[in-house]
Amino acid sequence: DTGVSQNPRHKITKRGQNVTFRCDPISEHNRLYWYRQTLGQGPEFLTYFQNEAQLEKSRLLSDRFSAERPKGSFSTLEIQRTEQGDSAMYLCASSLSVANTEAFFGQGTRLTVV
Amino acid sequence: QQQVKQSPQSLIVQKGGIPIINCAYENTAFDYFPWYQQFPGKGPALLIAIRPDVSEKKEGRFTISFNKSAKQFSLHIMDSQPGDSATYFCAANRAGANNLFFGTGTRLTVIP
């Protein structure tokens, strides 16, 4: 499978716990994005990597959120001290380094904080 | 503040009908307008995209109409099929930007 892969697909956690999600982009794509999608809404941008460098972060990305892409390949998104408001689908996308090129999305990780 | 406003929220058409989904934006710096299709449990997938230098783009049964002066664009699905039942999102971004601004989505149901 050469698409964007995200793990796990579903995560249920208790409020206050830390969670980590993984994204494996399409191998030749050097751009990687994280988005969050809540029920009935479109995806909202969280952060963007060019290779291993995190170049942009949305105001939605609070201090409890951290993302890494250590070798410019896979990426992780960690949420510390989860809150019920963090419940959402977390989507990863990747693309080539060409302006306005297609971003390919993974199937997402659905997080439920109870 | 919603950068891209999308309507309607939901749409039901008969097979063969032509559903139309509309989007509007304010930021005149936007220069790339894609439409994404999302099935339940899946991530969004690019359907078709347009730049403001053309007023219409057609790919198969999907057509984007673009009105630069009105800052509006719309998706038309010709000869709709039950397999087109999905949620459709319009989006926009500006040259040099790295993030897409999405609309709130339209849930389309095509009745056989």
Side-chain angles (χ1 to χ4, degrees):
Chain A
D1 185 355
T2 57
V4 178
S5 176
Q6 292 189 246
N7 289 289
R9 292 290 313 279
H10 304 273
K11 178 71 176 178
I12 300 174
T13 190
K14 291 184 178 179
R15 189 177 55 178
Q17 297 293 305
N18 299 345
V19 293
T20 300
F21 312 138
R22 177 179 169 124
C23 171
D24 288 90
I26 294 172
S27 59
E28 61 267 28
H29 287 183
N30 48 14
R31 289 187 174 180
L32 187 146
Y33 314 81
W34 285 98
Y35 284 80
R36 181 176 71 185
Q37 185 177 22
T38 53
L39 204 59
Q41 299 295 316
E44 296 173 294
F45 172 77
L46 291 178
T47 190
Y48 151 72
F49 289 85
Q50 173 86 19
N51 299 313
E52 66 275 8
Q54 187 175 19
L55 298 183
E56 190 170 346
K57 291 196 283 188
S58 159
R59 289 176 222 170
L60 292 175
L61 211 66
S62 77
D63 291 345
R64 296 183 298 104
F65 288 69
S66 62
E68 294 182 343
R69 195 181 182 196
K71 296 181 180 178
S73 56
F74 74 92
S75 175
T76 57
L77 178 68
E78 181 183 17
I79 309 175
Q80 296 182 327
R81 305 181 304 281
T82 52
E83 303 173 355
Q84 287 189 318
D86 297 332
S87 296
M89 175 79 84
Y90 290 85
L91 292 163
C92 176
S94 69
S95 73
L96 295 169
S97 290
V98 178
N100 296 335
T101 190
E102 178 179 358
F104 292 82
F105 282 83
Q107 296 192 61
T109 294
R110 180 165 295 284
L111 173 66
T112 303
V113 181
V114 298
Chain B
Q1 181 186 359
Q2 194 71 33
Q3 297 264 359
V4 180
K5 295 181 181 177
Q6 183 172 347
S7 64
Q9 190 172 8
S10 63
L11 194 51
I12 301 173
V13 298
Q14 295 278 354
K15 177 183 172 183
I18 306 175
I20 300 173
I21 304 170
N22 301 298
C23 286
Y25 63 98
E26 287 297 324
N27 190 340
T28 54
F30 287 154
D31 69 345
Y32 175 66
F33 303 90
W35 284 89
Y36 280 81
Q37 180 188 55
Q38 186 175 30
F39 293 103
K42 303 287 188 182
L46 180 67
L47 203 56
I48 185 173
I50 196 169
R51 298 183 191 281
D53 52 348
V54 296
S55 60
E56 185 175 282
K57 183 174 181 180
K58 184 179 292 187
E59 287 185 3
R61 296 184 294 108
F62 300 94
T63 299
I64 300 178
S65 297
F66 187 84
N67 186 329
K68 188 174 181 178
S69 61
K71 292 183 285 186
Q72 295 175 347
F73 57 111
S74 59
L75 177 70
H76 302 232
I77 305 175
M78 307 301 177
D79 186 27
S80 58
Q81 302 295 314
D84 296 330
S85 297
T87 299
Y88 293 81
F89 293 95
C90 60
N93 79 352
R94 53 181 175 80
N98 302 302
N99 57 305
L100 288 165
F101 294 95
F102 282 84
T104 51
T106 297
R107 175 175 275 187
L108 172 66
T109 304
V110 181
I111 300 171

